[in-house]
Coordinates of all heavy atoms in Angstrom, one line a residue:
G23 N -6.3 0.1 -18.6 CA -5.5 -0.9 -19.2 C -4.0 -0.9 -18.8 O -3.2 -1.6 -19.5
L24 N -3.7 -0.3 -17.7 CA -2.3 -0.3 -17.2 C -2.1 -1.7 -16.5 O -2.9 -2.1 -15.8 CB -2.0 0.8 -16.3 CG -1.9 2.2 -16.9 CD1 -1.6 3.2 -15.8 CD2 -0.8 2.2 -18.0
D25 N -0.9 -2.2 -16.6 CA -0.5 -3.4 -15.9 C -0.4 -3.0 -14.4 O 0.2 -1.9 -14.1 CB 0.8 -4.0 -16.4 CG 0.7 -4.7 -17.7 OD1 -0.4 -5.2 -18.0 OD2 1.7 -4.7 -18.4
Y26 N -0.8 -3.9 -13.5 CA -0.7 -3.6 -12.1 C -0.7 -4.9 -11.3 O -1.1 -5.9 -11.8 CB -1.8 -2.6 -11.6 CG -3.2 -3.3 -11.6 CD1 -3.7 -3.9 -10.5 CD2 -4.0 -3.3 -12.7 CE1 -5.0 -4.5 -10.5 CE2 -5.2 -3.8 -12.7 CZ -5.7 -4.4 -11.6 OH -7.0 -5.0 -11.6
K27 N -0.3 -4.8 -10.1 CA -0.4 -5.9 -9.2 C -1.1 -5.4 -7.9 O -0.6 -4.4 -7.3 CB 1.0 -6.4 -8.8 CG 1.0 -7.6 -7.9 CD 2.4 -8.2 -7.6 CE 2.3 -9.4 -6.7 NZ 3.6 -9.9 -6.4
A28 N -2.2 -6.1 -7.6 CA -3.0 -5.7 -6.4 C -2.4 -6.4 -5.2 O -2.0 -7.6 -5.3 CB -4.4 -6.0 -6.6
H29 N -2.3 -5.7 -4.1 CA -1.8 -6.2 -2.8 C -2.9 -6.2 -1.8 O -3.4 -5.1 -1.5 CB -0.6 -5.5 -2.3 CG 0.6 -5.6 -3.2 ND1 1.5 -6.6 -3.2 CD2 1.0 -4.7 -4.2 CE1 2.4 -6.4 -4.2 NE2 2.1 -5.3 -4.8
F30 N -3.2 -7.3 -1.2 CA -4.3 -7.3 -0.2 C -3.7 -6.8 1.1 O -2.7 -7.2 1.6 CB -4.8 -8.7 0.0 CG -5.9 -8.8 1.1 CD1 -7.2 -8.4 0.8 CD2 -5.6 -9.3 2.3 CE1 -8.1 -8.5 1.8 CE2 -6.5 -9.4 3.3 CZ -7.8 -9.0 3.0
I31 N -4.4 -5.8 1.7 CA -4.0 -5.3 3.0 C -5.1 -5.7 4.0 O -6.3 -5.4 3.8 CB -3.9 -3.7 3.0 CG1 -3.0 -3.3 1.9 CG2 -3.6 -3.2 4.4 CD1 -1.5 -3.6 2.1
N32 N -4.7 -6.4 5.0 CA -5.7 -6.9 6.0 C -5.9 -5.8 7.0 O -5.1 -5.6 7.9 CB -5.1 -8.2 6.7 CG -6.2 -8.9 7.5 OD1 -7.0 -8.2 8.1 ND2 -6.2 -10.2 7.6
L33 N -7.0 -5.1 6.9 CA -7.3 -4.0 7.8 C -7.6 -4.5 9.2 O -7.3 -3.8 10.2 CB -8.5 -3.2 7.3 CG -8.3 -2.6 5.9 CD1 -9.6 -1.9 5.4 CD2 -7.1 -1.7 5.8
M34 N -8.1 -5.7 9.3 CA -8.5 -6.2 10.7 C -7.2 -6.5 11.5 O -7.2 -6.5 12.7 CB -9.3 -7.5 10.6 CG -10.6 -7.2 9.8 SD -11.5 -5.7 10.3 CE -12.3 -6.3 11.8
E35 N -6.1 -6.8 10.8 CA -4.8 -7.0 11.4 C -3.9 -5.8 11.4 O -2.8 -5.8 11.8 CB -4.1 -8.2 10.8 CG -4.8 -9.5 10.9 CD -4.0 -10.7 10.3 OE1 -2.9 -10.5 9.8 OE2 -4.6 -11.8 10.2
N36 N -4.5 -4.6 11.0 CA -3.8 -3.3 11.0 C -2.6 -3.3 10.2 O -1.6 -2.6 10.5 CB -3.5 -2.9 12.4 CG -4.7 -2.2 13.1 OD1 -5.6 -1.6 12.4 ND2 -4.9 -2.4 14.4
Q37 N -2.6 -4.1 9.1 CA -1.4 -4.0 8.2 C -1.2 -2.6 7.6 O 0.0 -2.3 7.3 CB -1.6 -5.0 7.0 CG -1.4 -6.5 7.4 CD -1.5 -7.4 6.3 OE1 -2.2 -7.2 5.3 NE2 -0.8 -8.5 6.4
Q38 N -2.2 -1.8 7.5 CA -2.1 -0.5 7.0 C -1.3 0.4 8.0 O -1.0 1.5 7.6 CB -3.5 0.1 6.6 CG -4.3 0.5 7.8 CD -5.1 -0.7 8.5 OE1 -4.8 -1.8 8.2 NE2 -6.0 -0.3 9.3
K39 N -1.1 0.0 9.2 CA -0.4 0.8 10.2 C 1.0 0.3 10.4 O 1.8 0.8 11.2 CB -1.1 0.7 11.5 CG -2.6 1.1 11.5 CD -2.7 2.6 11.1 CE -4.2 3.0 11.2 NZ -4.4 4.3 10.6
E40 N 1.4 -0.8 9.6 CA 2.8 -1.3 9.7 C 3.8 -0.3 9.0 O 3.4 0.4 8.1 CB 2.9 -2.7 9.1 CG 2.1 -3.7 9.9 CD 2.1 -5.1 9.3 OE1 2.8 -5.3 8.3 OE2 1.4 -6.0 9.8
D41 N 5.0 -0.3 9.5 CA 6.0 0.6 9.0 C 6.2 0.6 7.5 O 6.3 1.7 6.9 CB 7.4 0.4 9.7 CG 7.4 0.8 11.2 OD1 6.5 1.6 11.6 OD2 8.3 0.3 11.9
W42 N 6.2 -0.6 6.9 CA 6.4 -0.7 5.5 C 5.3 0.0 4.7 O 5.5 0.7 3.7 CB 6.5 -2.1 5.0 CG 5.2 -2.9 5.1 CD1 4.7 -3.6 6.2 CD2 4.2 -3.0 4.1 NE1 3.5 -4.1 5.9 CE2 3.1 -3.8 4.7 CE3 4.1 -2.5 2.8 CZ2 2.0 -4.1 3.9 CZ3 2.9 -2.8 2.1 CH2 1.9 -3.6 2.7
F43 N 4.0 -0.1 5.2 CA 2.9 0.6 4.5 C 2.9 2.1 4.8 O 2.6 2.9 4.0 CB 1.6 0.0 4.9 CG 0.5 0.5 4.0 CD1 0.2 0.0 2.8 CD2 -0.4 1.5 4.5 CE1 -0.8 0.5 1.9 CE2 -1.4 2.0 3.7 CZ -1.6 1.5 2.4
L44 N 3.3 2.5 6.0 CA 3.3 3.9 6.4 C 4.4 4.7 5.5 O 4.3 5.9 5.4 CB 3.6 4.1 7.9 CG 2.5 3.6 8.8 CD1 2.9 3.7 10.3 CD2 1.2 4.4 8.6
Q45 N 5.3 4.0 5.0 CA 6.3 4.6 4.1 C 5.6 4.9 2.7 O 6.1 5.8 2.0 CB 7.5 3.7 3.9 CG 8.3 3.6 5.1 CD 9.5 2.6 4.9 OE1 9.9 2.3 3.8 NE2 10.0 2.1 6.0
I46 N 4.5 4.2 2.4 CA 3.8 4.5 1.2 C 2.7 5.5 1.5 O 2.5 6.5 0.8 CB 3.1 3.2 0.6 CG1 4.2 2.2 0.3 CG2 2.3 3.5 -0.6 CD1 3.7 0.8 0.1
N47 N 2.0 5.3 2.6 CA 0.9 6.3 3.0 C 1.1 6.5 4.5 O 0.7 5.7 5.3 CB -0.5 5.7 2.7 CG -1.5 6.7 3.1 OD1 -1.3 7.8 3.7 ND2 -2.8 6.4 2.8
P48 N 1.7 7.7 4.8 CA 1.9 8.0 6.3 C 0.6 8.1 7.1 O 0.6 8.1 8.3 CB 2.6 9.3 6.2 CG 2.5 9.9 4.9 CD 2.2 8.7 4.0
N49 N -0.6 8.2 6.4 CA -1.8 8.3 7.0 C -2.4 6.9 7.4 O -3.4 6.7 8.1 CB -2.9 9.0 6.2 CG -4.1 9.4 6.9 OD1 -4.1 9.6 8.1 ND2 -5.2 9.5 6.2
G50 N -1.7 5.8 6.9 CA -2.1 4.5 7.2 C -3.5 4.1 6.8 O -4.2 3.4 7.5
R51 N -3.8 4.5 5.5 CA -5.1 4.2 5.0 C -4.9 3.6 3.6 O -3.9 3.8 2.9 CB -6.0 5.4 4.9 CG -6.1 6.2 6.1 CD -7.3 5.8 6.9 NE -7.4 6.6 8.1 CZ -8.4 6.5 9.0 NH1 -9.3 5.6 8.8 NH2 -8.4 7.3 10.0
I52 N -6.0 2.9 3.1 CA -6.0 2.5 1.7 C -7.0 3.4 0.9 O -7.9 4.0 1.5 CB -6.4 1.0 1.6 CG1 -7.7 0.7 2.1 CG2 -5.3 0.1 2.2 CD1 -8.3 -0.6 1.8
P53 N -6.8 3.5 -0.4 CA -5.8 2.9 -1.3 C -4.5 3.7 -1.3 O -4.5 4.9 -0.9 CB -6.5 3.0 -2.6 CG -7.3 4.2 -2.6 CD -7.8 4.3 -1.2
A54 N -3.5 3.1 -1.8 CA -2.2 3.7 -2.1 C -1.6 3.0 -3.3 O -1.9 1.8 -3.5 CB -1.3 3.7 -0.9
I55 N -0.8 3.7 -4.1 CA -0.2 3.1 -5.2 C 1.3 3.4 -5.3 O 1.8 4.4 -4.7 CB -0.8 3.5 -6.6 CG1 -0.6 5.0 -6.9 CG2 -2.3 3.1 -6.7 CD1 -1.0 5.4 -8.3
I56 N 2.1 2.6 -5.9 CA 3.5 2.9 -6.3 C 3.6 2.8 -7.8 O 3.3 1.7 -8.3 CB 4.4 1.9 -5.6 CG1 4.3 2.0 -4.1 CG2 5.9 2.2 -6.0 CD1 5.1 0.9 -3.3
D57 N 4.0 3.8 -8.4 CA 4.2 3.8 -9.9 C 5.7 3.5 -10.1 O 6.6 4.3 -10.0 CB 3.8 5.2 -10.5 CG 3.9 5.1 -12.0 OD1 4.5 4.2 -12.6 OD2 3.3 6.1 -12.6
H58 N 5.9 2.2 -10.5 CA 7.3 1.8 -10.8 C 7.9 2.4 -12.0 O 9.1 2.4 -12.2 CB 7.4 0.3 -10.8 CG 7.0 -0.4 -9.5 ND1 7.7 -0.2 -8.3 CD2 5.9 -1.1 -9.1 CE1 7.1 -0.9 -7.3 NE2 6.0 -1.4 -7.8
D59 N 7.0 2.9 -12.9 CA 7.4 3.5 -14.1 C 8.0 4.9 -13.9 O 8.7 5.5 -14.7 CB 6.3 3.7 -15.2 CG 5.8 2.4 -15.7 OD1 6.5 1.4 -15.6 OD2 4.6 2.4 -16.2
L60 N 7.8 5.5 -12.7 CA 8.2 6.8 -12.3 C 9.0 6.8 -11.0 O 8.6 7.4 -10.0 CB 7.0 7.8 -12.2 CG 7.3 9.2 -12.1 CD1 8.0 9.8 -13.3 CD2 6.0 10.0 -11.8
N61 N 10.1 6.0 -11.1 CA 11.0 5.9 -9.9 C 10.3 5.6 -8.6 O 10.6 6.2 -7.6 CB 11.8 7.2 -9.8 CG 12.7 7.5 -11.0 OD1 13.3 6.6 -11.5 ND2 12.7 8.8 -11.4
D62 N 9.4 4.6 -8.7 CA 8.7 4.2 -7.5 C 7.9 5.3 -6.8 O 7.9 5.4 -5.6 CB 9.6 3.4 -6.5 CG 10.1 2.1 -7.1 OD1 9.4 1.6 -8.0 OD2 11.1 1.6 -6.6

């Protein structure tokens, strides 16, 4: 029951390998989360 926002990552376009996503997951895979309640 936690509030969340899902973000679609287009794997066919390799969005998971883009710099912005690699800052979340350096392995370039899904899933990944950012907990905004805990300093992102």
Side-chain angles (χ1 to χ4, degrees):
L24 288 179
D25 288 332
Y26 69 94
K27 182 177 180 185
H29 297 273
F30 179 77
I31 304 294
N32 190 326
L33 301 177
M34 303 314 283
E35 293 181 10
N36 280 326
Q37 285 182 329
Q38 74 280 12
K39 303 296 183 189
E40 293 176 7
D41 288 341
W42 70 270
F43 189 80
L44 292 174
Q45 291 176 21
I46 300 167
N47 181 355
N49 193 28
R51 308 269 183 180
I52 60 168
I55 64 169
I56 300 174
D57 186 345
H58 298 293
D59 293 339
L60 189 62
N61 298 320
D62 292 340

